[in-house]
Amino acid sequence: MSKPQTSVVILGGGPGGYEAALVAAQLGARVTVVDSDGLGGACVLTDCVPSKTLIATSETMVLLRGSASLGIAIPGAGGASNGGGGASGPGGPGWIDAPRLYRRVKDLAQAQSADVGARLAAEGVEVVTGRGRLTRRTRPARLAGAHAVVVGDREIVADVVLIATGGLPRIMASAKPDGKRILTWRQLYDLDELPAELIVVGSGVTGAEFASAYQALGSQVTLISSRERVLPQEDADAAVVVEDVFKRRGMTVLSRSRAAAVRHEGGGVLVTLTDGRAVHGTHCLLTVGVVPAVGGIGLARAGVALNGRGFIEVDRVSRTSAPGVYAAGDCTGVQMLASVAAMQGRIAMWHALGEAVQPLRLDHVAATIFTEPEIATVGVAETMIESGQVKAEVIMLPLATNPRAKMQGFRDGFVKLFASPRSGRILGGVVVAPRASELILAVSIAVEQLLTVDQLAHTFSVYPSLSGSLTEAARRLMLPARPRAPFGEPAQ
Ligand SMILES: Cc1cc2nc3c(=O)[nH]c(=O)nc-3n(C[C@H](O)[C@H](O)[C@H](O)COP(=O)(O)OP(=O)(O)OC[C@H]3O[C@@H](n4cnc5c(N)ncnc54)[C@H](O)[C@@H]3O)c2cc1C
């Protein structure tokens, strides 16, 4: 007798949901994805994909601004200095066609969403449009499926449920977005102009990325940061480089400043700070965090516990406190990245459908902050070394001396490697550079494959190349006189 087909219902069609659906379908399950706002989720439609598309244009503006120093004269553009971009130079006001830029962003997101839909359809996944919620089963118990999800007037019974409902922008009571002047990042692309004076509240990853992008696009940006420096959770050296670049390019960074309220004033906005100061601008972008989208989906009744921050509590194989109910992605608050959401979703399905599964390893996650320059990281953080949690040697090489960086006309950035002093194993690294998101893969492979500095140092890199600084950093960490523990020793 053949095994009955397992039925899976997934709430949410973002990376946490759709990647899980693909795995479950490939493993032979009957899969239904319920999604309310479009396949690909916020990741594809409003957050990750749109912001990176906007940033692709802003990166080109940075290159244009630096073009004069590379010997390029753009007829009629006036003389622009490297990184400056004066009013008449490349990158000055008037160089951006905002409606066209935003149209491109939205069209690309829709196309990506359609690709996700086509992929799910090809794998035989049923997609139901609407808001779903867990409910008590009304169908007779003799029918298979321990759980029920309701969408409109339809009840879908399933053996396994995955909740991947994502998150929502956190809203301050004293700063209500109106979609015109006071904005969340999801409302930016409905503007028909480039904000002339943009105040960005919050200097975490999202705030720093948009501040960097809009500064490059030609807005006058003020970044309000409640901490001593921007990107307080990130590698301190990397944050210093990026903040210096921001300031050099003309951004106003208000550190140790907390926004108390945002309101309309005249044709623009007024942001008042908790110390009484006021900042005027044409637009304000609020980037003060993400809250889990878990309201009204029947979690309490299903026995799904939340943690102290209101996110769904999960273990490293994505199980919630309710048997047969899994959760993945931003609604779990584990690490708000598309790649982590997708991995949590896949792990949930492997586990639920009886496959061998490796629990989620957050210490191997590669991440990038898409400022200009980018900050890419993987593995242990230097704070863990400083606190004594991890024993590691650190090497940091500035890119200012890298020949390729000189040729390409930039000097802001570095590579940093962390390696075990005993085994030489590479435990992590940081790259600050244009396209650091691509360069970090070498370090990521080293971390994942337990490579040593000797092995990286003996690997050919191209001359001239930015990745040459990675092999050079590994060479500097190779101290031949030092006795090494046998290969394969556990990380320190
Ligand atoms: C501005 C910005 C830029 C980012 N850039 C990056 C980046 O470059 N790289 C990266 O890795 N991460 C990035 N992220 C993070 C990334 O977008 C999220 O981690 C990712 O979207 C999480 O995926 P998810 O599947 O959990 O949720 P989402 O992508 O939010 O998808 C959840 C889906 O569930 C739907 N839904 C919610 N409730 C219900 C319901 N009751 N019934 C049915 N459907 C429901 C929602 O409508 C949505 O479609 C960025 C985030 C932001 C804010």
Side-chain angles (χ1 to χ4, degrees):
M1 205 171 78
S2 65
K3 214 174 125 204
Q5 194 181 24
T6 306
S7 54
V8 176
V9 174
I10 298 174
L11 272 190
Y18 75 73
E19 288 288 346
L22 293 174
V23 165
Q26 281 158 5
L27 291 174
R30 181 157 46 82
V31 188
T32 307
V33 171
V34 180
D35 187 83
S36 50
D37 295 282
L39 289 174
C43 173
V44 166
L45 291 166
T46 55
D47 295 1
C48 176
V49 169
S51 67
K52 268 52 305 166
T53 309
L54 183 92
I55 287 168
T57 300
S58 72
E59 280 171 357
T60 306
M61 292 295 278
V62 172
L63 292 176
L64 268 173
R65 292 213 180 115
S67 60
S69 68
L70 298 183
I72 298 169
I74 299 176
S81 60
N82 189 5
S88 63
W95 275 68
I96 289 293
D97 177 348
R100 192 165 172 185
L101 166 60
Y102 293 140
R103 186 74 265 148
R104 175 173 189 266
V105 169
K106 290 199 270 191
D107 286 350
L108 197 148
Q110 286 300 337
Q112 184 71 16
S113 173
D115 286 348
V116 172
R119 183 77 206 286
L120 290 176
E123 296 292 339
V125 173
E126 184 192 10
V127 176
V128 176
T129 302
R131 265 190 76 75
R133 66 187 157 81
L134 289 163
T135 185
R136 191 168 288 148
R137 278 196 51 165
T138 56
R139 294 174 61 188
R142 64 188 158 72
L143 294 179
H147 306 281
V149 165
V150 165
V151 195
D153 52 13
R154 180 169 168 194
E155 182 189 89
I156 310 165
V157 174
D159 302 303
V160 176
V161 172
L162 174 73
I163 303 162
T165 48
L168 301 164
R170 185 167 84 81
I171 306 296
M172 296 159 58
S174 55
K176 286 275 158 47
D178 64 358
K180 292 188 166 52
R181 296 278 166 185
I182 306 173
L183 306 148
T184 71
W185 60 84
R186 293 185 179 174
Q187 297 169 325
L188 283 170
Y189 314 107
D190 291 325
L191 294 178
D192 51 17
E193 61 187 336
L194 196 70
E197 299 158 345
L198 179 66
I199 304 167
V200 179
V201 176
S203 69
V205 174
T206 301
E209 286 187 355
F210 280 114
S212 174
Y214 275 97
Q215 179 74 25
L217 291 171
S219 300
Q220 180 56 53
V221 174
T222 301
L223 179 58
I224 299 180
S225 170
S226 60
R227 309 285 279 274
E228 181 61 37
R229 59 171 170 81
V230 302
L231 295 165
Q233 312 297 332
E234 308 302 325
D235 181 87
D237 294 314
V240 165
V241 169
V242 166
E243 186 166 335
D244 284 351
V245 170
F246 281 178
K247 288 177 176 166
R248 202 170 66 227
R249 290 183 181 159
M251 190 187 299
T252 303
V253 179
L254 300 177
S255 51
R256 276 175 287 139
S257 302
R258 196 174 279 277
V262 185
R263 64 175 168 83
H264 291 187
E265 196 203 48
V269 292
L270 176 78
V271 179
T272 44
L273 306 183
T274 46
D275 62 9
R277 282 177 295 160
V279 187
H280 300 263
T282 57
H283 297 78
C284 176
L285 171 64
L286 301 161
T287 63
V288 289
V290 173
V291 294
V294 292
I297 57 172
L299 294 185
R301 177 183 287 187
V304 175
L306 304 181
N307 66 21
R309 299 182 299 135
F311 291 89
I312 298 175
E313 187 91 56
V314 282
D315 64 12
R316 287 176 58 212
V317 290
S318 310
R319 280 180 297 195
T320 69
S321 53
V325 180
Y326 292 73
D330 284 5
C331 63
T332 68
V334 167
Q335 190 170 352
M336 294 203 200
L337 286 174
S339 51
V340 173
M343 187 57 82
Q344 285 179 291
R346 291 185 206 113
I347 287 174
M349 293 302 108
W350 286 320
H351 187 270
L353 298 170
E355 292 291 302
V357 61
Q358 183 173 337
L360 184 69
R361 294 201 61 173
L362 288 177
D363 55 347
H364 285 201
V365 174
T368 294
I369 300 159
F370 291 83
T371 44
E372 206 300 311
E374 295 176 355
I375 301 172
T377 53
V378 68
V380 305
E382 196 163 357
T383 45
M384 295 164 81
I385 301 165
E386 286 163 355
S387 68
Q389 219 180 319
V390 172
K391 267 208 187 89
E393 288 182 338
V394 181
I395 178 98
M396 178 167 140
L397 295 185
L399 286 179
T401 53
N402 177 293
R404 190 77 189 278
K406 287 179 194 153
M407 293 164 198
Q408 291 179 331
F410 69 88
R411 60 193 163 83
D412 300 298
F414 61 79
V415 301
K416 203 191 257 192
L417 283 184
F418 311 125
S420 160
R422 291 195 62 224
S423 66
R425 253 188 58 196
I426 295 168
L427 303 177
V430 181
V431 179
V432 180
R435 293 274 187 270
S437 48
E438 309 289 349
L439 292 168
I440 199 70
L441 182 68
V443 189
S444 214
I445 292 172
V447 170
E448 185 65 37
Q449 300 301 322
L450 316 180
L451 300 184
T452 64
V453 287
D454 303 47
Q455 287 169 313
L456 184 57
H458 281 96
T459 305
F460 270 104
S461 58
V462 168
Y463 181 86
S465 68
L466 298 183
S467 48
S469 285
L470 285 172
T471 49
E472 171 67 15
R475 273 195 295 279
R476 304 245 188 133
L477 281 173
M478 266 175 76
L479 296 173
R482 179 181 315 218
R484 287 265 159 79
F487 185 58
E489 142 198 283
Q492 309 243 0

